[in-house]
């Protein structure tokens, strides 16, 4: 690993103020800093929108069954830990039927293989970087000692490897892991370096939520395509990347055949910068049981879910409420064209014998120490890009030093008309207040690690700086914003 103090150079064509002045801010389209995983130099100008018009077929929604994401098998399992091995490498995925899409992927798979971990058992992941550039791995939402967190400056050089240790001393939660090498995550995540990390514990087991085939990770991300089937990426620093096609587990708006019973769906918004407003059918009930950091204190019924980049929500949907043959579309109310239909549930005849209820209480809410500091973070546009309190990311500067074990009130003041999904590494928070209205019960009743701060909104969270000390970052998870420096550093000390 390259330590934080060693030299780091920006990618060759790093965005600069000069580019800003030359191109204007709204749409800075440029050559990819790392190149796309396509090896040919020929670039087609035909976009997915044009392809959609000519030949609808590869983009037609509900044509493919929802791909099940593979689970990673441990190499070794001892009394205390599970050891896994992964290679960060190029690969291909059949995203559009009949096309091979070049990707970057964990073991060359898109989305990457799911790791299932257990609270109290350490997970060890040996990551080998077979790419031609530095990469690292951040366990998003995990309580991870700073040296294993995947700090943006802590990268595994090309050809190198690193063994990440995840202690898993936290409650069951739908976590995920992804690349975090500074300045290029908008490309590396877009091209596939992301996967789910499902942490389970005994308490949750006792609830007897749907398991096995009925516990389904669902990774949602918007993309665009070139004529050869490769992912098309056009940088937009202002709004962030917006694709015209929704992929779920790597397939265009797939369908999922479901039995007449309850399912636990673990949704991850892995989009670079797109927020979704999800609705089932014309407003059917979805029961949310968990958010970013784990179970809600009690289940919350929802007919609409606002879903920002990097957030996770777990839903239980009871398909016994529907007659066999029913087709229920999960819609994105905020979308247009190919970004409206997320996926479809096709209710089959099977099932219906299960006797199960979602319990009224899912977990005990914990007591937290009173806030020992109030801090305010202004989110806005500076001369050179997106900033927090008028500052760009600087790895040589610590911006805030919370005391270990304390809680602090952090207020994010959005001074722009863009959504900024703010994420704190290594720690979790509770949402206290939002200027846009009352905090939704589902957001109040669980731990969060990412909050979508709406245009011109002020949102206050109570962050808990435990269990580990050390240097971490917090940043906007609109990846084009993070890459262009909308990130600061915190250091927690005793
Ligand atoms: Cu999901 Cu700093 O990351
Ligand atoms: Cu942002």
């Amino acid at each position: 690993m390259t330590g934080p103090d060693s030299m780091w150079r920006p990618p060759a064509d790093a965005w600069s103020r000069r580019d800003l002045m030359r191109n204007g801010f709204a749409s800075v389209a440029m050559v990819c800093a790392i190149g796309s995983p396509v090896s040919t130099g020929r670039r087609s100008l035909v976009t997915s929108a044009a392809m959609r018009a000519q030949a609808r077929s590869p983009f037609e929604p509900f044509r493919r069954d929802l791909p099940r994401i593979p689970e990673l098998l441990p190499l070794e399992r001892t009394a205390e830990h599970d050891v896994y091995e992964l290679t960060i490498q190029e690969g291909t995925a059949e995203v559009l039927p009949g096309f091979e899409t070049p990707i970057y992927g964990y073991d060359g798979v898109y989305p990457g293989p799911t790791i299932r971990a257990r609270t109290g058992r350490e997970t060890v992941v040996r990551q080998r970087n077979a790419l031609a550039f530095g990469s690292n791995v951040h366990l998003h939402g995990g309580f991870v000692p700073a040296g294993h967190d995947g700090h943006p400056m802590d990268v595994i050089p090309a050809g190198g490897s690193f063994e990440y240790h995840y202690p898993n001393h936290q409650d069951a939660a739908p976590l995920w892991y992804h690349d975090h090498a500074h300045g290029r995550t908008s490309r590396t995540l877009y091209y596939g370096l992301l996967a789910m990390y499902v942490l389970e514990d005994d308490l949750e087991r006792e609830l007897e939520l749907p398991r096995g085939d009925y516990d389904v990770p669902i990774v949602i991300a918007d993309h665009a395509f070139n004529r050869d089937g490769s992912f098309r990426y056009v940088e937009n620093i202002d709004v962030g990347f917006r694709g015209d096609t929704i992929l779920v587990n790597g397939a265009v708006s797939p369908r999922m055949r479901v039995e007449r019973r309850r399912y636990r769906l673990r949704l991850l918004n892995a989009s670079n910068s797109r927020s979704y407003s999800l609705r089932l059918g014309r407003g059917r009930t979805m029961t949310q049981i968990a958010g970013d950091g784990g179970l809600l204190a009690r289940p919350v019924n929802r007919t609409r879910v606002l879903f920002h980049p990097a957030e996770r929500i777990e839903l239980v949907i009871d398909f016994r409420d529907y007659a066999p043959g029913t087709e229920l579309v999960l819609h994105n109310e905020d979308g247009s064209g190919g970004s409206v239909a997320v996926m479809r549930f096709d209710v089959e005849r099977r099932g219906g014998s299960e006797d199960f209820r979602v319990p009224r209480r899912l977990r005990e809410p914990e007591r937290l120490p009173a806030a020992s500091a109030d801090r305010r973070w202004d989110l806005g546009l500076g001369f050179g890009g997106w900033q927090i309190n008028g500052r760009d990311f600087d790895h040589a500067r610590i911006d805030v030093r919370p005391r270990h074990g304390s809680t602090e009130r952090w207020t994010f003041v959005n001074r722009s008309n863009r959504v900024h999904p703010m994420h704190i590494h290594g720690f979790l928070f509770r949402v206290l207040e939002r200027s846009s209205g009352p905090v939704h019960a589902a957001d109040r009743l669980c731990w969060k690690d990412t909050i979508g701060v709406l245009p011109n909104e002020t949102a206050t969270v109570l962050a808990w700086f435990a269990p580990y000390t050390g240097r971490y970052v917090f940043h906007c998870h609109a990846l084009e914003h993070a890459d262009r420096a909308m990130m600061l550093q915190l250091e927690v000390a005793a």
Side-chain angles (χ1 to χ4, degrees):
M1 293 272 280
T2 313
D5 297 317
S6 61
M7 278 288 278
W8 178 82
R9 284 181 204 84
D13 62 346
W15 187 67
S16 66
R17 281 172 198 216
R18 216 174 21 168
D19 293 324
L20 172 72
M21 292 193 292
R22 200 168 47 222
N23 299 324
F25 197 78
S27 71
V28 185
M30 25 170 240
V31 185
C32 293
I34 52 166
S36 67
V38 189
S39 44
T40 65
R42 226 163 39 124
R43 267 278 143 139
S44 166
L45 290 175
V46 180
T47 62
S48 21
M51 275 164 92
R52 195 186 300 282
Q54 292 166 9
R56 284 181 63 226
S57 54
F59 294 101
E60 215 175 292
F62 320 131
R63 227 183 126 202
R64 281 178 62 189
D65 286 318
L66 176 79
R68 290 295 180 118
I69 300 173
E71 276 184 25
L72 195 62
L73 291 175
L75 208 67
E76 185 189 313
R77 197 157 249 186
T78 73
E80 307 83 44
H81 63 224
D82 300 324
V83 181
Y84 296 88
E85 234 171 43
L86 277 174
T87 302
I88 305 166
Q89 62 181 79
E90 295 193 11
T92 56
E94 195 181 344
V95 177
L96 304 175
F99 288 87
E100 278 197 344
T101 301
I103 55 141
Y104 297 129
Y106 295 106
D107 276 358
V109 175
Y110 172 74
T114 303
I115 293 179
R116 289 223 178 227
R118 269 190 99 69
T119 295
R121 280 177 71 74
E122 185 189 46
T123 301
V124 177
V125 189
R126 294 184 190 137
Q127 293 277 7
R128 196 168 65 81
N129 180 11
L131 296 174
F133 50 88
S135 180
N136 70 2
V137 183
H138 169 54
L139 181 61
H140 183 124
F143 286 163
V144 176
H148 294 262
D149 176 64
H151 183 286
M153 291 303 165
D154 240 354
V155 299
I156 312 170
S161 39
F162 186 76
E163 195 173 275
Y164 289 93
H165 288 243
Y166 303 131
N168 298 320
H169 286 307
Q170 69 190 95
D171 294 341
L175 311 180
W176 62 303
Y177 61 100
H178 62 77
D179 176 68
H180 218 309
H182 187 53
R184 22 178 202 265
T185 55
S186 49
R187 272 88 168 187
T188 52
L189 268 74
Y190 182 74
Y191 289 120
L193 286 175
L194 62 103
M196 290 207 70
Y197 182 102
V198 174
L199 182 59
E200 302 173 311
D201 68 15
D202 294 338
L203 228 87
E204 181 204 36
R205 271 265 144 141
E206 283 169 19
L207 300 174
E208 297 189 322
L209 295 164
R211 281 191 212 168
D213 285 349
Y214 308 107
D215 169 354
V216 187
I218 292 182
V219 177
I220 303 172
D222 58 336
H223 278 79
F225 293 86
N226 296 305
R227 182 183 239 156
D228 61 0
S230 58
F231 284 145
R232 179 182 181 79
Y233 182 79
V234 178
E235 182 161 60
N236 182 328
I237 314 252
D238 181 11
V239 294
F241 173 84
R242 293 296 152 91
D244 53 19
T245 307
I246 303 285
L247 302 185
V248 181
N249 292 359
V252 177
S253 305
R255 66 180 173 220
M256 177 182 172
R257 296 173 213 261
V258 292
E259 295 172 30
R260 298 187 64 234
R261 52 160 293 142
R262 288 190 174 87
Y263 280 77
R264 177 182 195 170
L265 307 175
R266 303 182 191 248
L267 275 58
L268 158 66
N269 182 354
S271 307
N272 278 34
S273 66
R274 182 186 284 278
S275 299
Y276 300 79
S277 175
L278 299 176
R279 258 174 107 81
L280 183 63
R282 261 175 263 117
R284 301 297 197 141
T285 303
M286 306 176 276
T287 304
Q288 185 173 344
I289 56 162
D292 301 341
L295 292 170
L296 308 186
R298 59 176 168 79
V300 173
N301 284 340
R302 310 190 72 167
T303 52
R304 178 171 169 265
V305 178
L306 205 57
F307 196 28
H308 299 290
E311 285 186 320
R312 284 88 64 209
I313 46 168
E314 290 193 15
L315 303 171
V316 170
I317 300 182
D318 191 348
F319 293 105
R320 285 177 304 186
D321 296 347
Y322 306 99
T326 306
E327 295 174 343
L328 282 162
V329 175
L330 186 68
H331 290 106
N332 171 24
E333 273 187 330
D334 284 352
S336 62
S339 66
V340 173
V342 176
M343 64 182 291
R344 193 178 72 193
F345 299 99
D346 293 3
V347 183
E348 293 190 326
R349 193 159 293 281
R350 288 185 296 149
S353 57
E354 139 220 49
D355 176 30
F356 160 82
R357 252 164 239 294
V358 177
R360 281 166 183 279
R361 294 201 69 79
L362 298 170
R363 65 195 297 280
E364 288 307 317
E366 50 289 288
R367 286 166 170 268
L368 290 174
S372 60
D374 254 297
R375 306 196 197 263
R376 172 195 166 113
W377 307 107
D378 283 340
L379 314 176
L381 196 51
F383 179 67
W386 292 99
Q387 297 181 319
I388 304 173
N389 281 3
R391 290 175 164 185
D392 290 333
F393 176 54
D394 179 351
H395 74 279
R397 185 188 68 222
I398 301 291
D399 300 281
V400 56
R401 298 176 189 277
R403 202 162 37 77
H404 183 239
S406 72
T407 64
E408 297 190 353
R409 282 168 58 97
W410 282 23
T411 298
F412 298 105
V413 183
N414 188 346
R415 301 191 165 280
S416 72
N417 52 7
R418 304 288 173 233
V419 175
H420 299 290
M422 298 304 296
H423 167 51
I424 307 178
H425 278 219
F427 308 101
L428 297 174
F429 55 78
R430 312 300 297 227
V431 181
L432 298 179
E433 266 173 67
R434 320 191 64 136
S435 65
S436 59
V439 178
H440 194 285
D443 288 336
R444 253 192 303 112
L445 296 171
C446 72
W447 287 104
K448 297 273 299 161
D449 57 50
T450 306
I451 179 173
V453 187
L454 302 176
N456 299 303
E457 188 191 32
T458 295
T460 303
V461 304
L462 184 71
W464 181 44
F465 295 99
Y468 300 110
T469 56
R471 191 183 54 132
Y472 297 86
V473 292
F474 67 102
H475 61 90
C476 177
H477 219 289
L479 299 173
E480 287 75 15
H481 295 183
D483 277 350
R484 302 305 172 213
M486 196 173 187
M487 170 150 57
L488 295 183
Q489 279 193 117
L490 64 144
E491 185 160 62
V492 174

